Amino acid sequence: MTKILMTSVREDEQDAINAFAKEHNIKIITTPKLIDDAVDMTADVDGLVIQQRSKVDPAVYAKLKANGIKQIATRTAGFDMVDIKKAHENGLTVTNVPAYSPRSVAEHALMQIFRLLRKSYRFDTQVAADDFRWFSDEQAMEIHTATVGIIGVGRIGGTLAKLLNALGAHVLGFDVKPREEMKGIVEYVSKEELLKRSDVISLHVDLNPTSTHLLGAKDFALMKPTAALVNASRGPVVVTADLVDALNKKELAAAALDTFEGENEVVMTDRRKKGLSDVPLIEELHAMDNVILTPHIAFFTNLAVKNMVDFSLEDVLLVLAGKPSPHEVN
Ligand SMILES: NC(=O)c1ccc[n+]([C@@H]2O[C@H](COP(=O)([O-])OP(=O)(O)OC[C@H]3O[C@@H](n4cnc5c(N)ncnc54)[C@H](O)[C@@H]3O)[C@@H](O)[C@H]2O)c1
């Protein structure tokens, strides 16, 4: 019977893993450990699925080869934790899960767009402090009267554009590769025009050298002071120090950030006792009542988790059968 090791497994993934094992008549061994600490467990298995943000320990690759492992499947879209060159040198095919559920992140972004337009961040803070009044600058904007700018109209950005279009919002898009199929849904404009015209701007670019620090001081200065920003793409797309500055200067009204620079220091950590003083920019964002922070959970839905498990395991079975995987990373 084929045996596969899955590392960094969370409790919420176990049902999908058990269902896959049953359906495919294979044995799946799971551990909450990173592959760095579980590499010895590969001695007795045929395949491997990992999931971690931290770089895979360079010593792991040769150990996997020595244990007869032929592949590494990461059940995430990102694969920068894997040294592809080192993996290939050790005869390891690397696969990822490029799209597990664009709806998961698009729906999260839509929720944040609603929260920003409805100014829920203000009422959340006030009501938590027993203040049930409302003020004239808290008047909300109905979504079908709003202009929403999407930067990066790819799988997730495109899905969000369709949801917004269905709700009657006017959707502006900026992308280095505009897509014909978005005609009638997205009005493609320059980044500058999008920044000037949008009531909410939502970032959905992939992280690459052209999108790193895509929004900085001079970009925030172009935004309407009543406008808001959503970032559920990748932290380094925004110059965080400039965003903090711009929020302080009231160049924009609010932000909802699921991803932010330095997030690896805080996401999935319990900061209740320790606080955030070692990550001052995040501490500053966290202290602002017009900033909504979430710990990189836009992907974390029923369907996305099932697809991450299923697609990564399907890739393992393909590679073990000597067949090409559509998700091979080179
Ligand atoms: N928060 C989460 O939980 C979560 C989960 C999954 C994915 N993501 C992130 O969402 C983002 C989008 O994912 P996707 O699957 O839709 O990616 P995608 O590759 O389908 O789309 C990205 C789009 O951005 C465009 N783009 C790239 N660089 C650009 C630039 N400099 N200027 C303008 N446009 C640019 C591309 O042409 C493409 O259309 C990624 O950054 C991904 O890491 C976040």
Side-chain angles (χ1 to χ4, degrees):
M1 186 186 267
T2 301
K3 281 194 210 163
I4 298 173
L5 174 70
M6 292 182 86
T7 60
S8 310
V9 172
R10 303 181 311 264
E11 224 176 275
D12 62 272
E13 297 177 298
Q14 205 63 57
D15 283 351
I17 293 169
N18 294 345
F20 191 95
K22 197 167 168 213
E23 191 189 333
H24 294 265
N25 196 26
I26 60 171
K27 189 168 170 55
I28 302 175
I29 298 145
T30 63
T31 173
K33 291 181 185 168
L34 300 178
I35 185 58
D36 311 36
D37 305 316
V39 69
D40 290 342
M41 294 175 78
T42 61
D44 189 32
V45 301
D46 308 291
L48 173 65
V49 178
I50 66 162
Q51 175 183 59
Q52 63 191 58
R53 286 175 207 279
S54 58
K55 290 247 179 268
V56 171
D57 178 350
V60 161
Y61 303 95
K63 287 186 189 165
L64 292 178
K65 185 184 180 191
N67 283 346
I69 299 295
K70 296 274 179 279
Q71 53 65 237
I72 301 175
T74 173
R75 55 188 188 283
T76 53
F79 50 84
D80 44 356
M81 72 297 264
V82 180
D83 183 335
I84 305 293
K85 193 164 166 268
K86 247 197 167 66
H88 287 170
E89 281 165 9
N90 286 281
L92 300 159
T93 300
V94 181
T95 58
N96 71 334
V97 183
Y100 32 85
S101 172
R103 272 294 282 250
S104 63
V105 181
E107 288 188 13
H108 171 91
L110 180 63
M111 169 188 76
Q112 299 299 42
I113 290 166
F114 268 121
R115 289 175 83 189
L116 293 166
L117 290 174
R118 304 300 307 212
K119 309 230 163 83
S120 79
Y121 52 93
R122 296 272 304 265
F123 297 108
D124 288 351
T125 317
Q126 279 170 223
V127 173
D130 298 333
D131 184 352
F132 287 78
R133 293 172 299 168
W134 38 272
F135 301 93
S136 54
D137 66 343
E138 290 175 329
Q139 189 182 77
M141 186 177 229
E142 295 182 25
I143 198 146
H144 58 103
T145 69
T147 297
V148 181
I150 299 179
I151 300 188
V153 193
R155 281 175 294 235
I156 293 170
T159 304
L160 174 63
K162 288 178 193 161
L163 293 172
L164 287 165
N165 179 257
L167 289 164
H170 186 74
V171 185
L172 300 178
F174 167 63
D175 197 299
V176 285
K177 285 189 206 141
R179 287 187 292 151
E180 189 60 29
E181 75 228 56
M182 286 293 138
K183 219 173 164 183
I185 295 169
V186 173
E187 180 193 348
Y188 282 105
V189 294
S190 67
K191 181 175 83 166
E192 288 68 27
E193 187 175 344
L194 182 145
L195 291 166
K196 283 182 193 163
R197 285 175 57 192
S198 299
D199 298 306
V200 184
I201 291 154
S202 199
L203 296 173
H204 299 286
V205 290
D206 55 290
L207 186 64
N208 64 59
T210 70
S211 66
T212 303
H213 287 178
L214 189 61
L215 290 194
K218 67 177 189 337
D219 302 296
F220 297 125
L222 295 177
M223 288 176 66
K224 296 185 199 179
T226 50
L229 176 74
V230 176
N231 187 9
S233 62
R234 296 291 291 275
V237 173
V238 170
V239 185
T240 307
D242 291 357
L243 174 63
V244 168
D245 242 21
L247 285 162
N248 280 329
K249 287 196 275 188
K250 303 204 183 311
E251 286 177 344
L252 70 161
L257 310 173
D258 189 50
T259 52
F260 36 89
E261 285 182 305
E263 71 181 52
N264 282 352
E265 297 299 317
V266 298
V267 167
M268 286 300 250
T269 68
D270 181 353
R271 290 282 181 149
R272 283 176 297 182
K273 285 204 181 90
K274 190 179 176 198
L276 292 163
S277 56
D278 59 321
V279 279
L281 280 178
I282 299 175
E283 186 179 40
E284 209 169 336
L285 287 169
H286 182 253
M288 290 180 177
D289 59 8
N290 53 348
V291 174
I292 307 169
L293 289 182
T294 47
H296 205 138
I297 41 75
F299 80 97
F300 189 39
T301 65
N302 53 351
L303 188 63
V305 169
K306 181 172 166 24
N307 286 347
M308 288 166 112
V309 165
D310 287 359
F311 297 170
S312 61
L313 285 164
E314 279 161 15
D315 283 334
V316 178
L317 296 182
L318 280 175
V319 176
L320 293 183
K323 293 180 187 156
S325 151
H327 307 137
E328 194 172 329
V329 179
N330 285 304

